[in-house]
Amino acid sequence: MARRAQLGRPSCRAPRGWKPGKRYQWDAETQGWILGSFFYGYIITQIPGGYIASKVGGKLLLGFGILGTAIFTLFTPIAADFGVGALIVLRALEGLGEGVTFPAMHAMWSSWAPPLERSKLLSISYAGAQLGTVISLPLSGIICFYMDWTYVFYLFGIVGIIWFILWIFLVSETPETHKTISHHEKEYILSSLKNQLSSQKSVPWIPMLKSLPLGAIVVAHFSYNWTFYTLLTLLPTYMKEILRFNVQENGLLSALPYFGCWLCMILSGQAADNLRAKWNYSTICVRRVFSLIGMIGPAVFLVAAGFIGCDYSLAVAFLTISTTLGGFCSSGFSINHLDIAPSYAGILLGITNTFATIPGMVGPVIAKSLTANNTIREWQTVFCIAAAINVSGAIFFSLFAKGEVQNWALDDRHGHRN
């Protein structure tokens, strides 16, 4: 009880060195709409981003998408001063730029990742998102504590612009255009992909949209993101209101689950490729097993975290385990797009991520409305809903997913290949 009396109480004296910064009188529902507004822009550019990347490549599309997001990030404090409406519009514009990110990355990997190295390469690449969360959450807490919350947006906006400059000068679209790649490596990559890529000029939209394996990825992606986005946007609130951690502890402890996820993604990617290359497990077997672990495991520990009362250490441990196990999905359904249609992986990712963005739009709003009083029972409801959606998605994916290139993703010169 002594700990709870010290942390998070308005009547307590502010910690030494604390810089409060400007505050806005926004209720829980308004905060939910602000948090979700990013995804209203994000959802719009998913499919167009995948289509453009398949036609002109992902390098410039990804680069300018991140640059636009970085510039809008710099203007966030100004938009907040103008009011809720301006801030919602700005965050939606940020989402427009971010929306092309993963479709463009998938399109680029379709030209770079040999089939038996996909899990390893993509998990390392996409684990960067988790690593960014690990760094940004505690760093944001420190900046808010010692400086002012506005500097969080200035810092990360500048970092995004610097990244864009490095990206433009250091990255190549394909192995053929890379200036320093060895001849042996280039030939290895090209030869490993030659029987998997299509030379069709047009996109087979109808058979693509009727594909049940694609539908399986859509359901899994939607289900996984419901939990991911709910925790990403509301975990700091849970840490503060329920577990009573202050701003510095909040940043550090909110980042801990994503550090676990980052580590799990790296290790699971290695394990998935070893199972396929050395132990001769089928692609679909690996994708199913890793998706089941990465979705049912988090569901179990997420529910457990809501029912352990005021044991703060155990709550943090369960939330960390839950998010960590989610890292298995990076070698499960997350890269299954490249298994079933590598030539159209960017478009497929755009389609699945369009549906998977819906939880980011409505999840925080629903969670905020369910936790109006920030009681443990309310948060138990939020966690149980997320867990049920996760388990349902895992089962559906396991029943209907495939691991081989689909007929509609190949032209007449190519045959099936696992």
PDB file of all heavy atoms in Angstrom, residues 125-138:
ATOM      1  N   SER A 125      14.218  -7.915 -40.132  1.00  0.00           N
ATOM      2  CA  SER A 125      13.776  -6.623 -40.657  1.00  0.00           C
ATOM      3  C   SER A 125      12.603  -6.064 -39.856  1.00  0.00           C
ATOM      4  O   SER A 125      12.635  -4.920 -39.390  1.00  0.00           O
ATOM      5  CB  SER A 125      13.371  -6.789 -42.125  1.00  0.00           C
ATOM      6  OG  SER A 125      12.772  -5.620 -42.632  1.00  0.00           O
ATOM      7  N   TYR A 126      11.567  -6.875 -39.670  1.00  0.00           N
ATOM      8  CA  TYR A 126      10.361  -6.393 -39.004  1.00  0.00           C
ATOM      9  C   TYR A 126      10.533  -6.271 -37.498  1.00  0.00           C
ATOM     10  O   TYR A 126       9.753  -5.575 -36.837  1.00  0.00           O
ATOM     11  CB  TYR A 126       9.181  -7.294 -39.342  1.00  0.00           C
ATOM     12  CG  TYR A 126       8.788  -7.226 -40.803  1.00  0.00           C
ATOM     13  CD1 TYR A 126       8.053  -8.240 -41.405  1.00  0.00           C
ATOM     14  CD2 TYR A 126       9.177  -6.146 -41.592  1.00  0.00           C
ATOM     15  CE1 TYR A 126       7.702  -8.174 -42.747  1.00  0.00           C
ATOM     16  CE2 TYR A 126       8.837  -6.075 -42.921  1.00  0.00           C
ATOM     17  CZ  TYR A 126       8.094  -7.089 -43.503  1.00  0.00           C
ATOM     18  OH  TYR A 126       7.758  -7.014 -44.821  1.00  0.00           O
ATOM     19  N   ALA A 127      11.533  -6.949 -36.961  1.00  0.00           N
ATOM     20  CA  ALA A 127      11.818  -6.789 -35.534  1.00  0.00           C
ATOM     21  C   ALA A 127      12.281  -5.373 -35.219  1.00  0.00           C
ATOM     22  O   ALA A 127      12.231  -4.949 -34.057  1.00  0.00           O
ATOM     23  CB  ALA A 127      12.880  -7.791 -35.087  1.00  0.00           C
ATOM     24  N   GLY A 128      12.705  -4.652 -36.252  1.00  0.00           N
ATOM     25  CA  GLY A 128      13.097  -3.256 -36.047  1.00  0.00           C
ATOM     26  C   GLY A 128      11.966  -2.411 -35.484  1.00  0.00           C
ATOM     27  O   GLY A 128      12.203  -1.477 -34.712  1.00  0.00           O
ATOM     28  N   ALA A 129      10.715  -2.756 -35.855  1.00  0.00           N
ATOM     29  CA  ALA A 129       9.570  -2.014 -35.318  1.00  0.00           C
ATOM     30  C   ALA A 129       9.473  -2.206 -33.809  1.00  0.00           C
ATOM     31  O   ALA A 129       9.163  -1.268 -33.063  1.00  0.00           O
ATOM     32  CB  ALA A 129       8.283  -2.476 -35.998  1.00  0.00           C
ATOM     33  N   GLN A 130       9.729  -3.438 -33.347  1.00  0.00           N
ATOM     34  CA  GLN A 130       9.707  -3.699 -31.915  1.00  0.00           C
ATOM     35  C   GLN A 130      10.868  -3.000 -31.212  1.00  0.00           C
ATOM     36  O   GLN A 130      10.708  -2.437 -30.119  1.00  0.00           O
ATOM     37  CB  GLN A 130       9.777  -5.209 -31.651  1.00  0.00           C
ATOM     38  CG  GLN A 130       8.774  -6.029 -32.429  1.00  0.00           C
ATOM     39  CD  GLN A 130       7.347  -5.622 -32.146  1.00  0.00           C
ATOM     40  OE1 GLN A 130       6.998  -5.277 -31.015  1.00  0.00           O
ATOM     41  NE2 GLN A 130       6.499  -5.667 -33.156  1.00  0.00           N
ATOM     42  N   LEU A 131      12.037  -3.035 -31.840  1.00  0.00           N
ATOM     43  CA  LEU A 131      13.203  -2.385 -31.248  1.00  0.00           C
ATOM     44  C   LEU A 131      12.977  -0.880 -31.135  1.00  0.00           C
ATOM     45  O   LEU A 131      13.380  -0.249 -30.141  1.00  0.00           O
ATOM     46  CB  LEU A 131      14.453  -2.672 -32.087  1.00  0.00           C
ATOM     47  CG  LEU A 131      15.783  -2.154 -31.516  1.00  0.00           C
ATOM     48  CD1 LEU A 131      16.051  -2.788 -30.154  1.00  0.00           C
ATOM     49  CD2 LEU A 131      16.928  -2.460 -32.484  1.00  0.00           C
ATOM     50  N   GLY A 132      12.317  -0.307 -32.132  1.00  0.00           N
ATOM     51  CA  GLY A 132      11.988   1.115 -32.062  1.00  0.00           C
ATOM     52  C   GLY A 132      11.084   1.429 -30.887  1.00  0.00           C
ATOM     53  O   GLY A 132      11.249   2.454 -30.214  1.00  0.00           O
ATOM     54  N   THR A 133      10.121   0.527 -30.627  1.00  0.00           N
ATOM     55  CA  THR A 133       9.239   0.714 -29.473  1.00  0.00           C
ATOM     56  C   THR A 133      10.021   0.606 -28.171  1.00  0.00           C
ATOM     57  O   THR A 133       9.793   1.369 -27.226  1.00  0.00           O
ATOM     58  CB  THR A 133       8.113  -0.337 -29.489  1.00  0.00           C
ATOM     59  OG1 THR A 133       7.421  -0.263 -30.740  1.00  0.00           O
ATOM     60  CG2 THR A 133       7.122  -0.090 -28.363  1.00  0.00           C
ATOM     61  N   VAL A 134      10.949  -0.358 -28.119  1.00  0.00           N
ATOM     62  CA  VAL A 134      11.778  -0.551 -26.925  1.00  0.00           C
ATOM     63  C   VAL A 134      12.563   0.710 -26.599  1.00  0.00           C
ATOM     64  O   VAL A 134      12.693   1.107 -25.437  1.00  0.00           O
ATOM     65  CB  VAL A 134      12.747  -1.741 -27.125  1.00  0.00           C
ATOM     66  CG1 VAL A 134      13.780  -1.794 -25.999  1.00  0.00           C
ATOM     67  CG2 VAL A 134      11.979  -3.049 -27.197  1.00  0.00           C
ATOM     68  N   ILE A 135      13.071   1.369 -27.627  1.00  0.00           N
ATOM     69  CA  ILE A 135      13.876   2.577 -27.417  1.00  0.00           C
ATOM     70  C   ILE A 135      12.989   3.786 -27.152  1.00  0.00           C
ATOM     71  O   ILE A 135      13.260   4.599 -26.259  1.00  0.00           O
ATOM     72  CB  ILE A 135      14.773   2.834 -28.639  1.00  0.00           C
ATOM     73  CG1 ILE A 135      15.806   1.703 -28.782  1.00  0.00           C
ATOM     74  CG2 ILE A 135      15.487   4.187 -28.521  1.00  0.00           C
ATOM     75  CD1 ILE A 135      16.607   1.759 -30.064  1.00  0.00           C
ATOM     76  N   SER A 136      11.897   3.905 -27.917  1.00  0.00           N
ATOM     77  CA  SER A 136      11.111   5.139 -27.869  1.00  0.00           C
ATOM     78  C   SER A 136      10.298   5.291 -26.585  1.00  0.00           C
ATOM     79  O   SER A 136      10.156   6.413 -26.082  1.00  0.00           O
ATOM     80  CB  SER A 136      10.180   5.213 -29.083  1.00  0.00           C
ATOM     81  OG  SER A 136       9.246   4.152 -29.075  1.00  0.00           O
ATOM     82  N   LEU A 137       9.753   4.204 -26.046  1.00  0.00           N
ATOM     83  CA  LEU A 137       8.917   4.336 -24.853  1.00  0.00           C
ATOM     84  C   LEU A 137       9.696   4.860 -23.637  1.00  0.00           C
ATOM     85  O   LEU A 137       9.294   5.851 -23.035  1.00  0.00           O
ATOM     86  CB  LEU A 137       8.231   3.002 -24.535  1.00  0.00           C
ATOM     87  CG  LEU A 137       7.013   2.657 -25.408  1.00  0.00           C
ATOM     88  CD1 LEU A 137       6.484   1.277 -25.059  1.00  0.00           C
ATOM     89  CD2 LEU A 137       5.920   3.693 -25.264  1.00  0.00           C
ATOM     90  N   PRO A 138      10.817   4.219 -23.257  1.00  0.00           N
ATOM     91  CA  PRO A 138      11.547   4.778 -22.107  1.00  0.00           C
ATOM     92  C   PRO A 138      12.176   6.125 -22.412  1.00  0.00           C
ATOM     93  O   PRO A 138      12.226   6.999 -21.542  1.00  0.00           O
ATOM     94  CB  PRO A 138      12.614   3.713 -21.807  1.00  0.00           C
ATOM     95  CG  PRO A 138      12.755   2.926 -23.052  1.00  0.00           C
ATOM     96  CD  PRO A 138      11.412   2.946 -23.699  1.00  0.00           C
TER      97      PRO A 138
END
